[in-house]
Amino acid sequence: MANRPKLSTVAAAAGVSTATVSQVLRGTGRISAQTRDRVLAAARQVNYLPDGRAAALRSGENREIGLVLHHLANPFNAEVVSGVSDRLERAGHLVSVLDSRDDAEREGRNLRALIASMRGGLIWVPASGTDPATLDLLVAQRLPVVTFLHRVAERFDHVGLRNAAALGRAVDHLVELGHRRIAFLGGTTPRAPRAERIAGYASALAAHGLGAPQVFPCEDSKPGGLSAMLKLRETHPEVTAVVCNGDMVALGACLGLGRRAETPGREVSVIGFDDVADAALATPALTTLSIAPYSLGQHLAERLLARLSDRAAAPVHQELDASLILRDTTAPPLPR
Amino acid sequence: MANRPKLSTVAAAAGVSTATVSQVLRGTGRISAQTRDRVLAAARQVNYLPDGRAAALRSGENREIGLVLHHLANPFNAEVVSGVSDRLERAGHLVSVLDSRDDAEREGRNLRALIASMRGGLIWVPASGTDPATLDLLVAQRLPVVTFLHRVAERFDHVGLRNAAALGRAVDHLVELGHRRIAFLGGTTPRAPRAERIAGYASALAAHGLGAPQVFPCEDSKPGGLSAMLKLRETHPEVTAVVCNGDMVALGACLGLGRRAETPGREVSVIGFDDVADAALATPALTTLSIAPYSLGQHLAERLLARLSDRAAAPVHQELDASLILRDTTAPPLPR
DNA sequence: CGGCCAAGGTATAACGTTGTATCTGATGTC
DNA sequence: GACATCAGATACAACGTTATACCTTGGCCG
């Protein structure tokens, strides 16, 4: 029951010094072809794999990137993850994902642990209510950080969405179709993206001279959207269209209509946000605000790579547009 | 622009030695209350956070667990992840997730990187076609490993499913309802779980004296299931029921029926496998073989914890049952 | 008042790697 | 044959921690 093979194990097996082994494995220094072959053979034979933390400690390099999400279960995020990892892996990095599941305390633990294990960089979708002490900690470690969706600090790079404008487009579309009673569905926390979306929704209503905004909070998930829609139909039958805080809520709302033997795009028009894969697949297919999660993930990765290669540059803040994808859940309201 | 604070930064700030700081932070040794307070204050003031890799290197401890999945985008896996992390976090570990997206090469990279960064343990859902060299490496590092679903080596702990028996139950149910032409839908690779499921399906058919098995491979996703079902209805209209390699395929198949203005549980009965959250939510709700992903995740975590506390014990192999959950996509076949 | 002890702190050697400075022969040159 | 040259290898220090052995100092007892 030998122990984990280390550099000295390989050195002994090949009959050279540890320095030589290190040089061979890293391809540095001047080593003759035959010793190199001997060393490589020995390394393979004992199944050697370097201890990355010792190597990183000594060399100061770190090719591991942390990706902290507020909610991994949402397929939108899963697609973002794919984009991020594809791009970063292509650049020779390794991405590991931590899910804080919208719990600030868990998020704090995750972030602290990431810093402790000295990841080389961080892509972060902050949960609501991030602890400011954690933020200070993060800043003090001078870790390259890109936040996404929810901006928490000026000095981190950030990629956000033009939420208000997007919601404006959604409301405009519904008004053009003839809707006058439009509600907003989804979300429970005061996170910035939701607040911006609600603001965009409200000001679009105002621009069209429609009544006061009606916001119905619910959990950002299918069950959340489902029960919110059921309740909405009971209590506010005059509402003929809803815009949602996310596709999960929107798809849930569509399911809710189905439960009542109603059809999205008939009794109630529904617009989502995210354009998850299921949006196009659902029947009826979901009209939604698209932000192309996969390429968005790649974009995030690019930002982090840029930051890694120039750590002194000023923080970059970007805002992306979401475009309205017309599908089958929006149509003129039924005549009364 | 100071650098990352380290032990010596804190020591200087508090006017003590690094050894003292370390002892205070770890709560070991004999330190007076007042120096302790001074050190803690200094640590907070400079936003100190220990370099985990140096600490781990020195102490040999490692509380980080790697979770390597073959396919994170599948919500079933996302739910397993939740269960795993909840349990392991409760035990003071940190879980980071790597997605190999069914690519053996990517999986190999992920595993090597995990070993290199010296995770304390590994929970692994192997992709198909894992490189045997990678396996050797894994074994040589004497890393505690629990595999799930797909067993790749005798010497790792393993949690699997009684796939064949489960499929037997599904076929029995369909036969009881009166179906005679039952197809198997889903999967493309020769991974063990699928092979076992097909075997269980085939032998159940045989036990009932029904015809030869009909297996229709497709990608394990909603689009995969959708197009497979469309094709099946074209080419094999005599089939009145399908059992699927997973809920994603099954839900996709249901969508496919919807596209043809047909209804799951009428023209064709459908049974899934996994019981993802969407299965109960879909309309009609999906009959499926349930393995309760969240508690399964917790179970995997328990196994790993047991292994961590006794690394010498013989490998444990477990097999769990999947129970048939009757919902609305199964019913007697339509009379001809 | 010498000696002993405990409390409180520090010096130092690891952990496994890498980078640099250094050593050792062999070869070539005049 | 003396000396520079250079390829090829090695010794050694360092990375930021932690564990251990070791120092101080003051108090107390005989």
Side-chain angles (χ1 to χ4, degrees):
Chain A
M1 193 78 175
N3 248 331
R4 178 178 218 254
K6 43 188 175 178
L7 214 50
S8 60
T9 318
V10 181
V16 295
S17 72
T18 59
T20 305
V21 177
S22 172
Q23 296 199 104
V24 168
L25 263 30
R26 314 205 59 248
T28 65
R30 297 161 306 190
I31 304 287
S32 72
Q34 58 173 338
T35 41
R36 187 180 53 236
D37 292 348
R38 233 183 33 252
V39 167
L40 288 177
R44 208 163 309 126
Q45 208 227 313
V46 303
N47 277 310
Y48 173 73
L49 213 56
D51 181 337
R53 48 190 198 190
L57 176 60
R58 172 64 234 245
S59 70
E61 283 251 325
N62 209 322
R63 309 201 59 79
E64 217 175 321
I65 303 292
L67 178 46
V68 176
L69 288 179
H70 74 300
H71 191 203
L72 180 58
N74 189 324
F76 170 74
N77 287 320
E79 291 174 51
V80 172
V81 171
S82 293
V84 168
S85 0
D86 276 351
R87 182 65 191 89
L88 286 177
E89 281 174 13
R90 200 142 50 75
H93 294 269
L94 177 84
V95 177
S96 58
V97 180
L98 306 208
D99 183 2
S100 27
R101 274 175 286 152
D102 256 329
D103 175 350
E105 199 218 323
R106 195 199 319 270
E107 179 180 65
R109 270 206 313 274
N110 282 345
L111 290 174
R112 266 186 291 275
L114 276 180
I115 300 167
S117 73
M118 277 294 280
R119 297 299 199 286
L122 176 60
I123 295 181
W124 180 23
V125 184
S128 53
T130 299
D131 179 15
T134 305
L135 223 52
D136 289 346
L137 230 45
L138 217 47
V139 170
Q141 316 305 317
R142 0 214 109 260
L143 190 69
V145 173
V146 177
T147 55
F148 173 48
L149 284 185
H150 184 34
R151 178 155 75 203
V152 288
E154 279 298 316
R155 55 176 308 159
F156 297 146
D157 289 330
H158 179 75
V159 176
L161 301 175
R162 270 190 270 279
N163 287 300
L167 264 286
R169 272 192 284 282
V171 170
D172 288 352
H173 172 61
L174 290 170
V175 170
E176 261 169 48
L177 288 173
H179 294 273
R180 319 269 317 154
R181 299 305 214 107
I182 303 171
F184 182 97
L185 234 63
T188 53
T189 62
R191 284 176 84 220
R194 176 168 180 257
E196 291 162 21
R197 288 172 196 182
I198 291 178
Y201 151 75
S203 72
L205 284 191
H208 289 291
L210 299 177
Q214 294 178 284
V215 175
F216 298 86
C218 71
E219 206 194 301
D220 284 320
S221 64
K222 282 194 192 176
L226 195 160
S227 50
M229 178 55 90
L230 290 179
K231 195 152 152 215
L232 180 75
R233 294 300 286 152
E234 292 288 325
T235 60
H236 295 74
E238 75 282 8
V239 169
T240 62
V242 295
V243 289
C244 299
N245 192 37
D247 279 356
M248 289 299 104
V249 171
L251 290 170
C254 293
L255 288 174
L257 288 169
R259 289 273 167 94
R260 295 171 52 92
E262 297 176 326
T263 309
R266 252 179 70 85
E267 287 82 359
V268 180
S269 283
V270 177
I271 298 186
F273 201 117
D274 287 347
D275 199 19
V276 302
D278 271 9
L281 235 40
T283 31
L286 182 68
T287 293
T288 190
L289 291 155
S290 172
I291 41 184
Y294 180 84
S295 62
L296 182 65
Q298 292 193 307
H299 185 81
L300 287 168
E302 299 281 0
R303 268 259 46 78
L304 185 63
L305 288 171
R307 168 63 49 196
L308 285 171
S309 69
D310 179 4
R311 307 169 70 115
V316 176
H317 294 180
Q318 292 178 305
E319 301 224 298
L320 305 178
D321 269 313
S323 58
L324 187 64
I325 309 279
L326 298 180
R327 295 208 187 93
D328 308 332
T329 57
T330 44
L334 290 180
R336 295 275 238 127
Chain B
M1 193 79 171
N3 248 330
R4 178 178 218 253
K6 43 189 178 181
L7 213 50
S8 60
T9 319
V10 181
V16 295
S17 73
T18 59
T20 305
V21 177
S22 173
Q23 296 197 107
V24 168
L25 264 30
R26 315 204 58 249
T28 65
R30 297 161 304 186
I31 304 287
S32 72
Q34 59 172 336
T35 40
R36 186 180 55 234
D37 292 348
R38 234 184 32 253
V39 167
L40 288 177
R44 208 162 310 127
Q45 208 226 313
V46 303
N47 277 310
Y48 174 73
L49 212 57
D51 182 337
R53 46 190 200 190
L57 175 59
R58 172 63 234 246
S59 69
E61 281 252 325
N62 210 321
R63 311 202 59 81
E64 219 175 321
I65 303 294
L67 178 47
V68 176
L69 288 178
H70 74 301
H71 190 204
L72 180 58
N74 189 323
F76 170 73
N77 287 321
E79 294 175 48
V80 172
V81 171
S82 293
V84 168
S85 357
D86 275 351
R87 183 64 190 90
L88 286 177
E89 281 175 13
R90 200 141 50 75
H93 294 270
L94 177 84
V95 178
S96 58
V97 180
L98 306 209
D99 184 4
S100 28
R101 273 175 287 153
D102 257 329
D103 175 351
E105 200 217 323
R106 194 197 321 269
E107 178 180 64
R109 270 207 312 275
N110 282 344
L111 290 173
R112 265 187 291 275
L114 276 180
I115 299 167
S117 71
M118 277 295 277
R119 296 300 198 286
L122 177 60
I123 295 180
W124 180 24
V125 185
S128 54
T130 299
D131 180 14
T134 305
L135 223 53
D136 289 347
L137 274 170
L138 220 46
V139 170
Q141 316 306 318
R142 4 213 108 259
L143 190 68
V145 173
V146 178
T147 55
F148 173 48
L149 284 185
H150 184 35
R151 178 155 73 204
V152 288
E154 280 297 317
R155 55 175 307 160
F156 297 146
D157 289 331
H158 179 75
V159 176
L161 301 176
R162 270 190 270 278
N163 287 299
L167 265 286
R169 271 191 285 280
V171 170
D172 288 353
H173 171 62
L174 290 170
V175 170
E176 261 168 48
L177 288 173
H179 294 274
R180 320 270 315 155
R181 299 304 214 107
I182 304 172
F184 182 97
L185 233 64
T188 53
T189 62
R191 286 177 83 219
R194 176 169 180 256
E196 292 162 18
R197 290 172 195 183
I198 292 177
Y201 151 76
S203 73
L205 285 190
H208 290 290
L210 300 176
Q214 293 179 284
V215 175
F216 299 86
C218 72
E219 206 195 300
D220 284 319
S221 64
K222 282 194 191 176
L226 195 160
S227 50
M229 177 55 89
L230 290 178
K231 196 153 152 215
L232 179 76
R233 294 299 286 154
E234 291 287 325
T235 60
H236 295 74
E238 76 280 8
V239 168
T240 61
V242 296
V243 289
C244 300
N245 192 37
D247 279 356
M248 289 297 105
V249 171
L251 290 170
C254 293
L255 288 173
L257 288 169
R259 289 274 166 94
R260 296 172 50 92
E262 296 176 328
T263 308
R266 251 178 73 83
E267 287 82 358
V268 180
S269 284
V270 177
I271 298 186
F273 201 118
D274 286 348
D275 198 20
V276 301
D278 271 9
L281 235 41
T283 32
L286 183 68
T287 294
T288 191
L289 291 155
S290 171
I291 42 184
Y294 180 84
S295 63
L296 182 65
Q298 292 194 309
H299 185 80
L300 287 168
E302 300 280 0
R303 266 260 46 76
L304 185 63
L305 288 171
R307 169 60 52 196
L308 285 170
S309 69
D310 179 5
R311 308 169 71 115
V316 177
H317 294 180
Q318 292 178 303
E319 302 223 299
L320 305 179
D321 269 313
S323 57
L324 187 64
I325 309 278
L326 298 180
R327 297 208 186 93
D328 308 333
T329 57
T330 44
L334 291 180
R336 298 273 241 126

